[in-house]
Amino acid sequence: MTDTAIIQANMAITSIEWTRSTDGTQGYTWNPLRGCSKISTGCENCYAISMAVRFSGPGQPYEGFAKSNPCNWTGVVGMVPERMKDPLRWSRPRMVFVNSMSDLFHEKVPDTWIDEIFAVIALAPQHTFQILTKRAERMCQYFSHEWHRRVASILIERKSEISKKQDIQRLQGRSFGALTCGDHERRVLPNVWLGVSAEDQQRAVERIPWLLKTPAAVRFISAEPLIGEMNLGVLCDGLDWIIVGGESGPSARPCHVEWIRSLVWQCKEADVPVFVKQVGANPWLDPGELARRRSEPGYKPLHDAKGGDPSEWPEDIRVREFPRSAVPS
């Protein structure tokens, strides 16, 4: 099998630890869009760029979306029609990370494309969809402008695509009902989790307030790659989940373990579940803690390349919690 065939065949399966069901079953990605562009320092060593560049040759999936010299996005964003219906083909419930290789709320993605994606999500209520963006303001604006009416219209047109084996009444109760009933400002799809990336204090302050204004079944932040100390304070209020992780890869910037420890403590104080994904490829301990760790029986340096093995971390940051519920808020 060629590299192109491999990426096309396997892209749905992911090893991202937080894109799993709470029972630990395999997580999946769904990429109905391709292409992106850098927006902040958190994008500097983006894993998606290097992967896209690898498959950007003639006839390959990311041709025209990424370039190798220099390694970067081209700024082109496009829909992938052949991937749009993937979730409708998956019968068993899955945790699905949407657009792991792009950003659903990129400024070049028209509302009509986003509407189409949410229509598919509404037609697949058995799955839970995790959507993560760095463009928090655009996301909030999208959900403030009659999105539900547009998506409901698409659903009405697509009724014929619903399998007879599905429970139509249940589907209508979870999707049509969620879109056409209730308070406009708080209308949500119950199988959608919305999150924003925040790599440092500046981006947390800029992005989290927009997330808190956006109605969602679950609101979460991904503090990854964590490249600076983050004090969330009242920003924790209204959050359902926080993911924390240091940067991986050969050019990984330092992630101070104390920054991770602080976020774990803040989450505990605010009663917000926290998931520590990794300490990164370049974790820093303060000299005193490093000396203590080295004196412990069985001490070993990190063997996991991305610092993703909890057994190699200080015990107090070995925390991997999931949202307690997906009750709309």
Side-chain angles (χ1 to χ4, degrees), residues 80-215:
V80 189
E82 63 270 25
R83 298 268 70 91
M84 281 296 294
K85 295 182 181 179
D86 282 356
L88 304 181
R89 302 185 183 102
W90 304 331
S91 57
R92 287 188 176 184
R94 298 182 179 186
M95 190 75 77
V96 183
F97 180 16
V98 181
N99 287 320
S100 63
M101 294 287 292
S102 60
D103 191 324
L104 180 60
F105 296 100
H106 190 280
E107 53 274 14
K108 290 187 178 179
V109 177
D111 283 356
T112 52
W113 293 4
I114 303 175
D115 296 341
E116 290 282 346
I117 290 168
F118 276 109
V120 172
I121 289 172
L123 286 171
Q126 71 273 29
H127 306 315
T128 298
F129 295 85
Q130 301 168 312
I131 298 173
L132 186 61
T133 183
K134 286 184 173 68
R135 293 156 172 89
E137 183 176 0
R138 167 79 194 284
M139 178 175 70
C140 185
Q141 291 171 344
Y142 171 81
F143 285 106
S144 301
H145 292 98
E146 300 296 316
W147 71 279
H148 59 290
R149 297 188 189 280
R150 299 192 304 270
V151 174
S153 295
I154 295 172
L155 290 175
I156 291 170
E157 295 172 0
R158 303 284 169 82
K159 277 187 177 181
S160 61
E161 297 180 10
I162 303 172
S163 169
K164 293 181 180 179
K165 294 181 181 180
Q166 286 182 294
D167 183 344
I168 303 300
Q169 185 175 7
R170 178 173 64 88
L171 173 62
Q172 291 180 338
R174 293 196 65 183
S175 56
F176 289 92
L179 293 171
T180 59
C181 301
D183 179 9
H184 165 71
E185 295 300 325
R186 303 185 67 78
R187 189 177 284 107
V188 300
L189 285 172
N191 61 332
V192 175
W193 298 7
L194 298 178
V196 299
S197 295
E199 63 266 33
D200 54 25
Q201 185 69 21
Q202 177 184 341
R203 275 69 190 192
V205 171
E206 290 174 353
R207 297 170 184 166
I208 295 176
W210 288 109
L211 174 65
L212 298 179
K213 294 177 183 177
T214 307

Side-chain angles (χ1 to χ4, degrees), residues 208-272:
I208 295 176
W210 288 109
L211 174 65
L212 298 179
K213 294 177 183 177
T214 307
V218 166
R219 297 186 190 94
F220 69 101
I221 69 166
S222 173
E224 183 188 13
L226 185 63
I227 58 174
E229 187 175 8
M230 193 179 295
N231 295 306
L232 297 179
V234 296
L235 293 176
C236 273
D237 296 340
L239 293 176
D240 300 293
W241 194 31
I242 295 179
I243 301 162
V244 187
E247 191 166 54
S248 57
S251 301
R253 288 163 286 185
C255 178
H256 291 247
V257 171
E258 193 57 40
W259 299 343
I260 298 176
R261 179 174 286 120
S262 174
L263 278 173
V264 170
W265 179 85
Q266 291 175 58
C267 289
K268 182 177 180 180
E269 288 293 300
D271 195 29
V272 176

